[in-house]
Amino acid sequence: MRDESMQDEKERQYAYIERARKHVEKLTKELGRKPVYHVTTFGCQMNARDSEKLCGILEEAGFAESEEENADFVIFNTCTVRDNANQKVYGRLGELKGFKKRNPHMKIALCGCMMQEASVIEKIKESYRFVDLIFGTHNIYKFAELLCSMYEAEGMLIDIWQDTSEIVEDLPVKRKYPFKSGINVMFGCNNFCSYCIVPYVRGRERSRGPKDILREIEALAADGVVEIMLLGQNVNSYGKNLEESITFAGLLREVEKVEGIERIRFMTSHPKDLSEELIQVMKDSKKICRHLHLPLQAGSDRILKAMNRGYTKEEYIALAKHIREEIPDMALTTDIIVGFPGETKEDVEETISVIKEVEYDNAFTFIYSKRTGTPAAAMEQVPEEIVKEGFDKVLKTVQETARKRVKRYQGQVLEALVEEVNEQDDSLLTGRLSNNTIVHFPGSPSLIGKIVKVRLTECRGFYYLGEIEKEAEAYGRI
Ligand code: 5AD
Ligand code: SF4
């Protein structure tokens, strides 16, 4: 029954895409040219994937993509995980106002996590009246319908849902890269870390059925995709709400069998739910990349408890050590927050000691940002100067240890997936190693999308310079 109603919903949305085509045809006549769109994405990989879905629908409706934000239809897919992401959106909206004055046909839409916050909607209604359409994270699958309603109505259209259990499959998608793609395996988060707004704006955990996921991956492989990234806020709890009994490790085993897929990545793993089964699947796999992102957040047990993370410093270190023992070439990266309420200098030292012990290949370090409605917002905040001092110290430690880790492959030949022509120097290509390190090397753009063997000649901190291994080329392995 549920599957049937999802199927009906998909058909409804395709009907709206047809209807949107009529609006775009009318606009084409008025403008005397094909209308153009621009999607600006803030935030994480999930948002990047959502944006590909928005682009897919806009292209099907007849818009062409524009590199410029000064387009006929502009959409900001927003993030609200930290306040600076929100501030960026307001700043950029100010610029759009100027463009819209000069192009009366221009329409502006906002979607994504930030729109799930009531205070944001109030602010936009008050100070950004020129916005035409606002929707949230739960009804993004209705974008075609909302697009039609926007063209058919006057004034600002706002449609925000508090939650949903629906997952609508098989709507159009326009991938940014032909050879790699993200795939949602689950939506939402049930963890309620006390600093984090995600569970409030993305809703409760919902896993997609394994058959739907595999069907999508098979279709991607048939379309030339060689690398996939399975996406979820907490992939290790995949399958918990499904009728069939399946774990994330079990899903990975199935994904491994898809022919044509050569590399598998996933994001994000919560340390408290990482199973031995998953470690063994990674160890045995030929395709799962040698990179695991394992957010630490803090190293002090007191702060970890206040954050509601569900593990201690010792448990985390033991897990990291065990992974490195089982899979020695596994790169470990992490997220760290400095300045959580109540965090002292001694607590920051505990975080630093974990960084030194684990020796991350890379770490994203964030200054704690107070998010309205989360439990941590009501706790006593740490003064800015103290946070800054701790942040600088953590960053320095991360850089020192990461440099050492990244360098250990110097001189070796490893496989890289060629992603693009180097942005600064167009005689170079940019590729990504299985462990997620970037390498730049001379080569022809015809290699983009291929996996090549590269000798890593010089480590430059977080990345390498290299050259394609000639012998490998001669043997036709690239
Ligand atoms: N302040 C700072 N960083 C945060 N993150 C999540 N919420 C906050 C916050 N309120 C960080 C966490 C998470 C990453 C995606 O963003 O480190 O892992
Ligand atoms: Fe936020 Fe914690 Fe869920 Fe990650 S696991 S999205 S940090 S609540």
Side-chain angles (χ1 to χ4, degrees):
M1 186 61 199
R2 187 164 174 254
D3 282 355
E4 267 170 40
S5 75
M6 296 299 105
Q7 185 65 22
D8 290 350
E9 184 58 40
K10 175 184 151 189
E11 279 161 21
R12 278 187 74 233
Q13 293 308 315
Y14 270 95
Y16 277 112
I17 293 175
E18 274 308 306
R19 188 154 149 183
R21 281 179 167 280
K22 302 269 182 312
H23 291 292
V24 177
E25 278 164 20
K26 186 167 161 264
L27 191 57
T28 307
K29 285 202 189 98
E30 284 168 14
L31 291 166
R33 58 170 171 81
K34 195 169 173 145
V36 291
Y37 75 91
H38 185 88
V39 178
T40 302
T41 311
F42 299 83
C44 67
Q45 310 266 7
M46 294 274 223
N47 263 17
R49 183 63 180 161
D50 283 348
S51 288
E52 292 187 344
K53 296 176 185 175
L54 299 170
C55 291
I57 288 171
L58 288 166
E59 300 249 335
E60 285 281 315
F63 283 96
E65 191 169 14
S66 160
E67 296 273 303
E68 311 284 320
E69 230 162 53
N70 186 4
D72 305 301
F73 185 86
V74 179
I75 178 156
F76 283 178
N77 188 5
T78 63
C79 168
T80 186
V81 81
R82 285 170 292 277
D83 188 55
N84 52 9
N86 295 43
Q87 296 314 320
K88 258 190 238 161
V89 169
Y90 292 127
R92 296 278 278 278
L93 267 179
E95 284 171 36
L96 285 192
K97 189 178 183 182
F99 295 146
K100 192 166 178 169
K101 269 200 188 129
R102 273 165 268 146
N103 177 4
H105 290 285
M106 184 176 189
K107 295 281 185 197
I108 298 172
L110 300 174
C111 68
C113 295
M114 196 177 148
M115 301 305 128
Q116 293 295 138
E117 287 184 274
S119 59
V120 169
I121 302 298
E122 284 315 306
K123 181 161 173 164
I124 293 168
K125 281 205 300 207
E126 222 174 272
S127 311
Y128 301 88
R129 292 294 319 159
F130 54 92
V131 171
D132 301 282
L133 170 64
I134 303 177
F135 56 101
T137 55
H138 302 300
N139 54 346
I140 186 168
Y141 68 85
K142 285 194 184 279
F143 177 51
E145 183 174 346
L146 292 163
L147 193 64
C148 291
S149 308
M150 178 197 76
Y151 276 114
E152 288 157 25
E154 289 287 317
M156 190 188 276
L157 175 66
I158 305 177
D159 191 11
I160 308 288
W161 299 2
Q162 284 323 307
D163 214 338
T164 182
S165 56
E166 317 250 305
I167 299 176
V168 181
E169 303 282 346
D170 297 330
L171 292 171
V173 176
K174 185 193 182 204
R175 290 199 309 276
K176 187 169 171 208
Y177 298 96
F179 53 86
K180 69 171 188 175
S181 179
I183 288 130
N184 299 105
V185 298
M186 58 191 303
F187 302 91
C189 182
N190 286 357
N191 285 314
F192 290 94
C193 299
S194 62
Y195 51 82
C196 186
I197 200 163
V198 168
Y200 305 90
V201 295
R202 286 267 175 187
R204 295 295 64 73
E205 255 173 42
R206 282 151 286 140
S207 297
R208 279 177 76 192
K211 285 200 193 77
D212 290 331
I213 295 171
L214 288 165
R215 200 162 40 91
E216 184 177 344
I217 296 174
E218 281 158 9
L220 288 168
D223 199 29
V225 167
V226 292
E227 180 178 300
I228 52 165
M229 182 179 278
L230 307 180
L231 299 170
Q233 302 295 348
N234 179 15
V235 290
N236 293 337
S237 63
Y238 173 77
K240 281 189 184 157
N241 68 321
L242 291 174
E243 275 167 26
E244 56 246 85
S245 147
I246 182 160
T247 58
F248 184 58
L251 177 70
L252 280 173
R253 263 197 225 103
E254 294 305 311
V255 173
E256 174 105 16
K257 292 181 197 152
V258 178
E259 247 177 76
I261 297 298
E262 302 196 35
R263 283 180 162 192
I264 303 167
R265 299 185 185 276
F266 53 85
M267 186 86 108
T268 293
S269 272
H270 195 305
K272 79 174 164 59
D273 300 316
L274 197 139
S275 66
E276 184 60 30
E277 186 195 10
L278 177 62
I279 297 173
Q280 295 310 318
V281 168
M282 289 191 286
K283 184 175 172 177
D284 295 342
S285 170
K286 298 268 177 305
K287 297 184 177 177
I288 299 175
C289 288
R290 283 348 197 190
H291 172 216
L292 185 66
H293 187 66
L294 200 60
L296 167 70
Q297 312 300 4
S300 134
D301 285 344
R302 199 174 56 85
I303 297 297
L304 284 169
K305 192 150 192 280
M307 284 179 162
N308 191 29
R309 289 292 290 174
Y311 52 83
T312 62
K313 174 185 180 184
E314 287 313 310
E315 283 164 351
Y316 183 97
I317 292 175
L319 177 65
K321 280 199 172 147
H322 178 56
I323 294 167
R324 284 253 170 82
E325 269 158 27
E326 290 290 311
I327 319 168
D329 57 348
M330 183 65 87
L332 289 179
T333 59
T334 201
D335 291 340
I336 292 166
I337 299 174
V338 180
F340 180 86
E343 192 176 56
T344 62
K345 284 184 184 179
E346 290 72 38
D347 293 321
V348 174
E349 286 305 321
E350 299 265 359
T351 301
I352 289 175
S353 85
V354 181
I355 301 168
K356 287 187 174 154
E357 196 151 350
V358 174
E359 293 199 326
Y360 293 104
D361 293 73
N362 204 350
F364 299 96
T365 311
F366 306 108
I367 287 181
Y368 167 76
S369 172
K370 182 173 164 179
R371 309 315 289 132
T372 310
T374 62
M379 301 177 191
E380 198 183 335
Q381 308 293 305
V382 180
E384 221 173 280
E385 327 77 71
I386 303 212
V387 177
K388 182 82 178 64
E389 202 180 297
F391 179 82
D392 290 346
K393 228 171 153 186
V394 167
L395 197 64
K396 193 161 162 271
T397 317
V398 164
Q399 284 169 346
E400 280 164 10
T401 53
R403 238 174 250 279
K404 206 163 87 194
R405 283 288 300 175
V406 173
K407 203 171 173 182
R408 72 199 190 281
Y409 293 107
Q410 179 139 323
Q412 293 194 22
V413 177
L414 291 179
E415 286 186 342
L417 172 61
V418 185
E419 295 197 337
E420 57 205 355
V421 171
N422 186 298
E423 278 175 18
Q424 271 91 46
D425 176 351
D426 64 10
S427 72
L428 296 178
L429 298 174
T430 296
R432 193 179 294 272
L433 305 177
S434 169
N435 70 10
N436 214 36
T437 304
I438 294 289
V439 55
H440 306 288
F441 51 91
S444 147
S446 64
L447 292 173
I448 291 174
K450 302 223 162 52
I451 293 177
V452 299
K453 290 198 188 281
V454 180
R455 183 172 296 279
L456 307 175
T457 48
E458 190 187 336
C459 182
R460 292 271 184 98
F462 286 96
Y463 67 93
Y464 274 103
L465 295 181
E467 50 198 43
I468 292 182
E469 186 68 0
K470 288 288 179 260
E471 225 175 290
E473 209 172 22
Y475 284 112
R477 270 184 276 160
I478 56 169

